[in-house]
């Protein structure tokens, strides 16, 4: 199995930006942990990050074309991007995706409580720190087609 792991805007700042909310693990360290964890489950992962909505959408289209499931932390696009939602709708109908948030978005500012993506996702993992990514890999790797 191959899983595409996407991180949206500002996640390249992990370990630096608001560590009291997002922790001290850097994106590079997170990607190494995800890759190792996936390999122990006989899964390959491709981890990518972009601060640009269009690039994320292009990658979602690539996943749809290849029937890859996605683990996505859309960052701020969670609450704003109908375009990303529309792209993920195709993946939702194929291999599916899991939405991940490092912080508990429901315990934060009210504008963060709404996700355009959640209604389409297989599941949503929020508030478990970077461990949420590993749970998402486990869930996708054991999911029945």
């Amino acid at each position: 199995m191959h899983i595409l792991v996407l991180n949206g805007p500002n996640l390249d700042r992990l370990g630096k930006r608001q560590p009291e909310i997002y922790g001290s693990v850097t994106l590079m360290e997170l990607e190494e942990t995800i890759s190792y964890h996936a390999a122990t489950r006989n899964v390959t992962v491709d981890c990518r990050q972009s601060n640009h909505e269009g690039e994320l959408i292009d990658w979602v289209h690539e996943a749809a074309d290849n029937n890859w499931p996605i683990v996505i932390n859309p960052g701020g696009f969670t609450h704003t991007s109908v375009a990303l939602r529309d792209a993920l709708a195709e993946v939702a109908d194929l291999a599916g995706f899991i939405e991940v948030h490092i912080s508990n978005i429901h315990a934060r500012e009210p504008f963060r409580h709404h996700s355009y993506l959640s209604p389409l996702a297989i599941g949503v993992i929020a508030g478990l720190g970077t461990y949420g990514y590993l749970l998402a890999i486990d869930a996708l790797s054991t999911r029945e087609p």
Side-chain angles (χ1 to χ4, degrees), residues 2 14 45 58 73 75 88-90 92 97 101 110:
H2 183 83
L14 282 177
V45 292
D58 288 342
N73 182 338
L88 283 164
E90 184 178 8
F97 73 93
H101 298 282

Side-chain angles (χ1 to χ4, degrees), residues 5-60:
V5 179
L6 297 179
N7 281 292
N10 298 312
L11 287 153
D12 57 324
R13 305 298 297 165
L14 282 177
K16 298 174 185 174
R17 178 178 166 258
Q18 296 180 288
E20 68 281 4
I21 295 174
Y22 301 108
S24 60
V25 173
T26 67
L27 182 61
M28 182 180 290
E29 291 167 337
L30 173 59
E31 290 176 346
E32 289 171 359
T33 300
I34 291 168
S35 294
Y36 176 79
H37 183 81
T40 66
R41 279 135 183 85
N42 222 17
V43 172
T44 60
V45 292
D46 184 1
C47 298
R48 304 178 191 178
Q49 186 279 328
S50 181
N51 293 318
H52 305 282
E53 185 178 29
E55 188 166 36
L56 289 166
I57 290 168
D58 288 342
W59 292 337
V60 170

Side-chain angles (χ1 to χ4, degrees), residues 1-143:
M1 172 178 265
H2 183 83
I3 298 173
L4 184 59
V5 179
L6 297 179
N7 281 292
N10 298 312
L11 287 153
D12 57 324
R13 305 298 297 165
L14 282 177
K16 298 174 185 174
R17 178 178 166 258
Q18 296 180 288
E20 68 281 4
I21 295 174
Y22 301 108
S24 60
V25 173
T26 67
L27 182 61
M28 182 180 290
E29 291 167 337
L30 173 59
E31 290 176 346
E32 289 171 359
T33 300
I34 291 168
S35 294
Y36 176 79
H37 183 81
T40 66
R41 279 135 183 85
N42 222 17
V43 172
T44 60
V45 292
D46 184 1
C47 298
R48 304 178 191 178
Q49 186 279 328
S50 181
N51 293 318
H52 305 282
E53 185 178 29
E55 188 166 36
L56 289 166
I57 290 168
D58 288 342
W59 292 337
V60 170
H61 292 167
E62 180 183 353
D65 289 344
N66 289 289
N67 201 31
W68 297 333
I70 296 175
V71 172
I72 185 167
N73 182 338
F77 291 140
T78 304
H79 324 290
T80 63
S81 182
V82 173
L84 184 58
R85 181 215 182 275
D86 289 348
L88 283 164
E90 184 178 8
V91 173
D93 290 339
L94 299 168
F97 73 93
I98 295 178
E99 180 181 343
V100 173
H101 298 282
I102 295 169
S103 68
N104 181 353
I105 60 174
H106 303 289
R108 296 186 61 195
E109 304 92 337
F111 72 86
R112 295 186 194 277
H113 298 179
H114 178 264
S115 168
Y116 281 103
L117 314 179
S118 294
L120 301 175
I122 293 166
V124 178
I125 302 169
L128 300 180
T130 56
Y131 184 60
Y133 290 86
L134 308 184
L135 292 172
I137 295 294
D138 288 349
L140 288 172
S141 67
T142 60
R143 185 169 179 252

